[in-house]
Amino acid sequence: KKSHYACSACGTVQDVLTTIKATGKTGPMAAYAVQGYAPKRDEAGKPYSGRFFAAYDATLARQYDGAAAEWELRKEADLKEYWPRSLLSEGWKTHGWSIPEHGFTHYWAMFNPRQLLVHAQLLKAISTLGSYSIETREYVLGAFQQYLNFNNGFCHWNIQRDCVAQLFADNHFYPKNNVAENAVFSSLGSGNWESCTRTILEGAEWKANPFERVAVEQLKKIAPLSVTGITTKSVTTFPGDPVSSGVVTQGSSTELTHISSNSIDLVITDPPFGDLMQYSELSDFFYVWLTLYLQKHYPLIFAGQHSPKSLEAVSNPFREPDDPDGFYKRLLTQCWAEANRILKPGGILAFTFHHSEDEPWVAVLDSLFQAGYYLEATYPIRSDEIKGESSSFGSQKIEYDIIHVCRKRTEEPKPVSWGRMRREVMADVR
């Protein structure tokens, strides 16, 4: 039976979760294999590019036990300030999905002892090493956040891609039965420290010299001579427009009191997708680690143990059990209305939205019209990568993105059939 097992002593058949709940801990697991890399085999042209799988032997077990013992010695000593103690925040993607019943009652329980030892030492180094500025340390925190995504007890082996899959390859904390522990300082593979730091360096290079990938078909319409002889589907273009400095503020989009009325030319936003993504609940996985450093420098912003949730514009049946969709729509309307206030009379509001069903899309557009806009144009584009029938981020949910371009309304609109409008928009794509 699915998710059941038979006791080897008495033959009792029982659901795995029932047993785990009785222990009050996470389910027991044991390592059985390791992937390695042999440079000489790679140089000799051996199969699998020098990589190999081997049994998890006594030597590897002693290494793990040694790391676990060191963690026990240091977790309340020099590393006590660098790992989270927070309970799992209550929400739809946590308690609604019975994650605590699997034994994951705290965020630290989502990592094994060796991972906790590594992560705490990395965070300590980022926080205290050398005489670097706050800005530099925060920059490296960006790599640390991505590293957490690839190094936890919810990562698994992606058989199709032959590599470790990150936790948030899907938008939930669903426990895996083929957990994979990533390497720390390997130069191969995804999600190790080297690959995570490489991305922030690439980001700095892009900031100084931005580039975009442009489809050759589009360039043919604009400058046909520029693509003569090009056989690829897209080319890299450099606009010569480096990123300038900006102002970042923290607050609710329902109250943009620091911005004057009728002063903004363009508002670009990416609104939440109804109940599809519970942003704050999932972001707490990172928040509880990052706040250990950030709350020392931004005590007013990072004051709580978890990210703020009361004004999150999502449909959440755990926090708003009576009318989650109505709460989402009301809050979203307030956000649109505040953007309307700050826009100039001829200003533009542009946003993307995608969902597999009509109802959330209709709720967004109805909310938009209530806030005083009209829809001037829509541009359907191919969105997230297709990742199979069981994927939450692939073709089953949000394969197409629709860019909406809106302006402030000066007269009352005529009745609109939202479902019909969406089908007409999507018909242009297919």
Side-chain angles (χ1 to χ4, degrees):
K1 297 173 63 177
K2 184 178 179 180
S3 75
H4 283 67
Y5 73 100
C7 176
S8 61
C10 66
T12 300
V13 176
Q14 186 164 278
D15 182 77
V16 173
L17 183 56
T18 301
T19 305
I20 292 175
K21 286 168 61 177
T23 68
K25 301 178 181 179
T26 56
M29 59 180 66
Y32 59 89
V34 61
Q35 185 188 47
Y37 171 71
K40 292 184 179 180
R41 289 180 59 84
D42 191 5
E43 293 172 2
K46 297 293 184 179
Y48 203 29
S49 302
R51 293 174 291 171
F52 62 89
F53 286 96
Y56 193 86
D57 58 17
T59 300
L60 295 171
R62 284 193 294 270
Q63 290 177 356
Y64 181 88
D65 290 345
E70 183 179 349
W71 171 244
E72 288 299 318
L73 289 173
R74 299 180 63 185
K75 69 179 186 180
E76 298 299 341
D78 66 307
L79 299 179
K80 66 180 181 180
E81 297 181 9
Y82 303 103
W83 60 283
R85 317 298 177 99
S86 306
L87 285 166
L88 204 64
S89 59
E90 295 187 0
W92 176 240
K93 291 293 184 178
T94 52
H95 292 65
W97 282 45
S98 303
I99 301 304
E101 295 180 8
H102 285 272
F104 299 101
T105 55
H106 296 70
Y107 286 98
W108 60 261
M110 296 180 168
F111 306 85
N112 68 42
R114 178 159 57 189
Q115 290 172 331
L116 289 169
L117 176 65
V118 171
H119 299 351
Q121 289 184 88
L122 284 173
L123 185 57
K124 180 181 179 181
I126 294 171
S127 303
T128 63
L129 189 67
S131 57
Y132 298 102
S133 65
I134 294 176
E135 291 77 12
T136 300
R137 297 184 193 278
E138 290 176 0
Y139 206 61
V140 184
L141 276 177
F144 180 69
Q145 174 175 318
Q146 180 70 338
Y147 180 77
L148 290 172
N149 192 21
F150 278 91
N151 295 268
N152 56 75
F154 292 83
C155 293
H156 64 282
W157 189 257
N158 186 324
I159 297 175
Q160 287 75 26
R161 296 187 60 195
D162 195 26
C163 65
V164 174
Q166 58 185 304
L167 162 59
F168 290 122
D170 288 310
N171 60 343
H172 51 63
F173 291 117
Y174 190 75
K176 307 300 190 298
N177 62 0
N178 57 340
V179 175
E181 182 181 0
N182 213 341
V184 183
F185 297 118
S186 171
S187 59
L188 296 177
S190 60
N192 53 60
W193 183 247
E194 180 177 319
S195 65
C196 290
T197 54
R198 188 186 309 127
T199 57
I200 64 172
L201 297 176
E202 291 171 351
E205 294 173 357
W206 184 92
K207 180 178 180 293
N209 189 19
F211 61 85
E212 296 289 345
R213 297 290 294 178
V214 179
V216 172
E217 288 298 322
Q218 290 180 319
L219 288 177
K220 285 181 180 179
K221 300 175 182 178
I222 303 171
L225 295 179
S226 66
V227 295
T228 302
I230 296 178
T231 58
T232 57
K233 292 184 178 180
S234 62
V235 294
T236 302
T237 61
F238 295 86
D241 184 20
V243 179
S244 60
S245 60
V247 177
V248 178
T249 61
Q250 183 264 351
S252 171
S253 296
T254 60
E255 292 186 89
L256 303 174
T257 54
H258 59 289
I259 303 178
S260 302
S261 299
N262 303 313
S263 63
I264 302 297
D265 293 294
L266 173 64
V267 173
I268 301 176
T269 184
D270 187 9
F273 309 141
D275 63 349
L276 187 63
M277 185 79 73
Q278 301 299 326
Y279 297 93
S280 63
E281 291 179 7
L282 300 176
S283 69
D284 279 339
F285 175 83
F286 304 108
Y287 180 94
V288 296
W289 283 93
L290 302 182
T291 192
L292 297 174
Y293 171 80
L294 295 173
Q295 66 185 357
K296 298 176 182 178
H297 303 282
Y298 311 98
L300 296 179
I301 297 177
F302 296 93
Q305 290 192 359
H306 304 112
S307 61
K309 299 175 176 60
S310 60
L311 287 177
E312 184 180 23
V314 294
S315 177
N316 188 303
F318 188 89
R319 294 200 298 270
E320 301 291 338
D322 296 333
D323 187 16
D325 293 335
F327 174 83
Y328 163 65
K329 186 176 178 179
R330 288 191 298 273
L331 206 57
L332 190 60
T333 302
Q334 293 179 40
C335 295
W336 295 135
E338 185 67 350
N340 189 306
R341 179 188 66 81
I342 66 175
L343 269 177
K344 294 178 180 179
I348 289 177
L349 167 70
F351 67 93
T352 63
F353 190 82
H354 42 205
H355 205 288
S356 61
E357 301 174 1
D358 281 352
E359 188 173 348
W361 191 78
V362 170
V364 169
L365 281 194
D366 190 23
S367 169
L368 186 77
F369 277 59
Q370 288 182 27
Y373 295 90
Y374 71 90
L375 189 61
E376 183 170 87
T378 57
Y379 301 95
I381 60 172
R382 191 63 173 266
S383 180
D384 299 80
E385 174 188 356
I386 298 175
K387 298 181 179 178
E389 294 183 356
S390 61
S391 173
S392 294
F393 292 146
S395 59
Q396 297 304 297
K397 295 289 182 182
I398 48 176
E399 180 183 356
Y400 291 100
D401 225 335
I402 302 177
I403 299 175
H404 300 71
V405 179
C406 312
R407 291 189 184 274
K408 299 172 73 167
R409 196 174 67 237
T410 57
E411 59 183 28
E412 290 303 311
K414 298 178 181 179
V416 177
S417 172
W418 306 122
R420 180 181 177 183
M421 180 186 292
R422 181 179 189 274
R423 286 188 289 273
E424 289 177 351
V425 168
M426 295 307 295
D428 293 338
V429 181
R430 299 189 180 95

